[in-house]
Amino acid sequence: MLELLQYDFFQNAFISTLVIGISCGLVGTYIVAKRMVFISGGITHASFGGLGISYFLGFSPMTGATLFAVASALGILWLSENKKIREDSLIGIFWSAGMAIGILFIYLSPGYAPNLMSYLFGNILTVTHEQILLSGLLCLGILLFFIFFYRPLFYIAFDKEYSHTHHLPIHRIDISISVIIALCVVFCMKLAGIILVISYLTIPQAIAGLFYKNFKQLLIASAIISSAGSLIGLFISALLNLPSGASIVVCFLFFFIIARIGKKIFR
């Protein structure tokens, strides 16, 4: 199994999987605590519109997906805060609009979009050095953000009214975390694909929640579980020639079942 690490493409995949696992473990914990799971799903599917427009215009698909994901995240946040439209309705609008726009522009693009399936279902083995660098910078940024803003994030996640009374910078933190969620979603595309990203931001956190209730412990446990499951799933996909994203998510599901059964047995 370790012989795979001799290959450059697998080394790239290994490093990228590790840093994305840490990033999604931390961000996913906040998403689950604040009940933002479906918002992240809306951002994920909305980013498909950016992919389609990028293919049509001849730009980098990741650039278009990033811009669309960030714009969708900030749009959902702004419209929901101003009470113009209900949040669940907004998520559905952005979700369906992003997918529809992406499909239309891909259909209108001349030729065939060869990498489209990798964005839908993930293919970490095609990751580039540039994407590894950007993923590493994102992971470092997320770590620093959670270290320096741990207490405000904790208060906002569990009691936003309390945060208001203590004059915390809620709006700025909401904007920052929305952008971070969007970036996590985009960089997770290569690993799990648009269709499976939401499981990457929820299943490791659900496993950690079976054993821990403290927010700090949840953050650490989720990051460890996310990274470990990602790496094991990556090796399994490479050895059995299976899709990397699906293998990682199935690995997470297996962890969850074992953890659930184990907790009941040893309770």
Side-chain angles (χ1 to χ4, degrees), residues 105 148 162 167 208:
F105 275 94
F148 287 113
Y162 177 86
H167 307 291

Side-chain angles (χ1 to χ4, degrees), residues 80-108:
S80 61
E81 282 187 347
N82 286 275
K83 308 297 182 183
K84 295 182 182 295
I85 306 174
R86 283 179 51 180
E87 191 174 71
D88 56 347
S89 299
L90 281 172
I91 294 167
I93 291 168
F94 277 87
W95 187 309
S96 55
M99 293 298 291
I101 291 169
I103 292 168
L104 283 175
F105 275 94
I106 288 169
Y107 178 80
L108 293 171

Side-chain angles (χ1 to χ4, degrees), residues 39 42-47 65-78 94-95 98 178 182:
I39 293 178
I43 296 169
T44 302
H45 289 78
S47 65
T66 302
L67 294 174
F68 233 73
V70 171
S72 300
L74 296 178
I76 292 172
L77 177 65
W78 182 75
F94 277 87
W95 187 309
S178 296

Side-chain angles (χ1 to χ4, degrees), residues 117-124 188-194 243-246:
M117 294 300 289
S118 68
Y119 290 105
L120 285 174
F121 300 101
N123 187 1
I124 192 64
C188 199
M189 278 184 198
K190 273 291 186 181
L191 184 57
I194 289 173
S244 56

